[in-house]
């Protein structure tokens, strides 16, 4: 978690929206916090601070704080291998809105 450093593990089929025990909402794919909790046409969970998407691959940004602040990245994010493939929407909110 970018706020409390708690280790977060995503279940197979879950989307990239994560809510930590501390209440921080962020993108699992890159760790950048959500900007808003108000649902949008593209994302039922709100407005992420990144461009990963709900079902994007896990990536590593050079500076997640800059991404959250809207600062353009000098280099593209680096894909990170994921040991468990994402196979479908387990997230109930995402499933209802697909």
């Amino acid at each position: 978690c970018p706020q409390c450093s708690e280790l977060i593990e995503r279940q197979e089929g879950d989307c990239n929206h994560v809510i930590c025990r501390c209440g921080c909402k962020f993108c699992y794919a890159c760790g950048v916090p959500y900007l808003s909790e108000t649902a949008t046409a593209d994302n039922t969970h709100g407005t992420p601070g990144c461009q990963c998407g709900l079902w994007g691959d896990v990536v590593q940004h050079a500076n997640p704080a800059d991404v959250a602040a809207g600062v353009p990245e000098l280099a593209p994010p680096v894909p990170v291998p994921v040991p468990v493939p994402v196979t479908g929407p387990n997230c109930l909110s995402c499933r209802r809105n697909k």
Side-chain angles (χ1 to χ4, degrees):
C1 172
Q3 184 169 297
C4 73
S5 299
E6 179 76 23
L7 179 63
I8 303 293
E9 187 173 32
R10 178 173 72 174
Q11 298 294 315
E12 181 178 350
D14 283 353
C15 68
N16 285 330
H17 175 262
V18 177
I19 303 172
C20 182
R21 292 179 191 179
C22 72
C24 180
K25 295 164 180 63
F26 63 96
C27 173
Y28 179 85
C30 69
V32 173
Y34 265 57
L35 302 175
S36 167
E37 296 178 34
T38 304
T40 67
D42 296 329
N43 190 325
T44 187
H45 300 292
T47 305
C50 63
Q51 299 298 316
C52 293
L54 283 174
W55 307 103
D57 293 330
V58 175
V59 298
Q60 183 175 3
H61 296 288
N63 189 339
D66 282 351
V67 173
V71 176
E73 292 189 88
L74 298 176
V78 178
V80 177
V82 178
V84 178
V86 175
T87 58
N90 285 340
C91 172
L92 294 178
S93 293
C94 293
R95 197 177 321 154
R96 282 192 293 265
N97 293 296
K98 275 202 166 220

